[in-house]
Amino acid sequence: YYTESSLYCRNIFLFGQYYARLICRLDNGEETVSRGEAYIIELFARYIELYFQNNLQTPDRHQNDLLHQLCRSLYAGENPDITMLQTALSPYHWKLNHQYQTVILKAYQQEEWQTQMEITLPFLVRELERQWPDSCAVSLGNKVLWVINLSLTKQASFLSCFSVFIRENVCRAGISEVFSDISFIHGAALEAEAALRLGSRSDDTFWYYQFEDYRLCYCLEAMTKELPSEQLLHPAVRLLRDRDTHKGTELVPTLRAYLNCGMNMTH
């Protein structure tokens, strides 16, 4: 709230991420605090940080709590030590070696959806965590990073319920493979983003895409980032292709069929 009084502010950080702000109102007419006052405020702020770091009570869910900050840090490629990880996970009864899965959700490319971004993303985050309590959803620009603790979630009906959710909320999703170390969130998010990108390109009628279905496409894409496919083609395959072109044979399709049959000549 607006005030004419000067304020001395000290940001509270947990594990390198902004968490809260300590505000001290100065007396009327004062422009700054003395060195001694600043020292007392700093000392008090450090105790507040320690309190939040060591508070093992179940916290209220919000975008700046420890778990959400941890997911952001891991997504950004940071590597918190084990103590920090355990401190962030303990209030939620999550374990380092639980099974997890990462999902990236993006807006379906419709004008109406994009104009409601500021309203829709917070709603999606809240709804994901409401329907799947043992998960953590974080808004990142125009997308949502969602981490599900599969060890505490019923997996049998997960995908069927999730497919209904994304259809009702008009968005698409890429889904990583299951992993058993929460520090792998960064790599899993790359999998989910790749699945969403490659899947949307090959079939834009699906609502979600799983990385395991696009692993080969991802490998082929990664192989040709620097060198074109023509340079990566083995000379023997090039020989077969050229013969097909000039002679009208079907050596390359035959080779492909042979490999697809597991190199079983009978099949």
Side-chain angles (χ1 to χ4, degrees):
Y1 297 102
Y2 174 76
T3 174
E4 293 183 355
S5 302
S6 297
L7 302 174
Y8 184 88
C9 302
R10 201 289 199 172
N11 289 334
I12 303 296
F13 288 89
L14 294 184
F15 311 122
Q17 295 289 325
Y18 172 77
Y19 186 78
R21 179 169 293 152
L22 173 63
I23 297 177
C24 303
R25 181 174 296 182
L26 277 63
D27 293 334
N28 289 333
E30 284 189 338
E31 294 296 330
T32 186
V33 297
S34 67
R35 183 178 298 178
E37 290 171 327
Y39 176 78
I40 292 174
I41 294 170
E42 175 63 25
L43 191 64
F44 181 49
R46 291 178 186 174
Y47 275 108
I48 291 176
E49 288 175 336
L50 287 173
Y51 169 76
F52 282 126
Q53 288 177 11
N54 295 291
N55 180 17
L56 298 182
Q57 300 300 316
T58 301
D60 292 331
R61 285 292 184 105
H62 57 84
Q63 285 291 293
N64 277 325
D65 68 15
L66 287 178
L67 186 58
H68 289 78
Q69 291 184 50
L70 174 65
C71 289
R72 283 196 190 90
S73 298
L74 293 171
Y75 174 80
E78 299 177 15
N79 295 306
D81 60 38
I82 293 180
T83 303
M84 290 183 178
L85 290 172
Q86 290 175 333
T87 301
L89 297 179
S90 292
Y92 304 91
H93 308 293
W94 288 20
K95 304 293 184 183
L96 293 173
N97 59 352
H98 274 174
Q99 285 198 318
Y100 298 94
Q101 201 162 25
T102 295
V103 179
I104 295 291
L105 294 94
K106 282 190 176 181
Y108 208 91
Q109 297 302 315
Q110 293 182 354
E111 186 65 29
E112 296 80 5
W113 208 103
Q114 296 289 348
T115 57
Q116 298 296 323
M117 186 72 73
E118 293 184 2
I119 299 173
T120 307
L121 278 185
F123 170 79
L124 279 179
V125 165
R126 290 194 301 270
E127 281 299 297
L128 285 168
E129 294 184 348
R130 184 184 68 80
Q131 293 194 32
W132 292 274
D134 289 300
S135 70
C136 179
V138 177
S139 57
L140 299 168
N142 66 341
K143 60 189 175 186
V144 172
L145 167 71
W146 188 38
V147 180
I148 312 102
N149 187 324
L150 295 177
S151 297
L152 303 177
T153 301
K154 293 181 180 179
Q155 299 183 40
S157 58
F158 168 68
L159 276 181
S160 59
C161 295
F162 178 61
S163 62
V164 173
F165 177 89
I166 57 179
R167 285 199 300 270
E168 289 178 347
N169 292 281
V170 197
C171 53
R172 282 181 175 155
I175 305 175
S176 76
E177 294 192 312
V178 177
F179 56 98
S180 57
D181 182 352
I182 195 169
S183 62
F184 186 66
I185 282 179
H186 176 72
L190 293 178
E191 289 183 358
E193 289 174 336
L196 182 56
R197 181 181 70 255
L198 297 170
S200 300
R201 186 188 304 165
S202 61
D203 195 334
D204 62 357
T205 62
F206 292 171
W207 293 96
Y208 65 86
Y209 309 91
Q210 295 179 276
F211 181 72
E212 62 186 31
D213 296 329
Y214 298 94
R215 185 186 291 105
L216 178 59
C217 294
Y218 177 80
C219 292
L220 293 173
E221 182 186 68
M223 287 170 58
T224 55
K225 278 187 176 179
E226 294 182 352
L227 295 176
S229 57
E230 180 66 26
Q231 286 184 250
L232 298 174
L233 193 62
H234 192 280
V237 178
R238 189 181 296 115
L239 196 65
L240 297 181
R241 184 198 61 185
D242 293 344
R243 186 173 181 85
D244 284 350
T245 302
H246 295 119
K247 300 290 185 179
T249 54
E250 296 184 344
L251 298 176
V252 172
T254 302
L255 175 60
R256 182 182 293 112
Y258 179 61
L259 294 173
N260 288 339
C261 292
M263 294 179 286
N264 186 310
M265 187 63 74
T266 303
H267 290 174

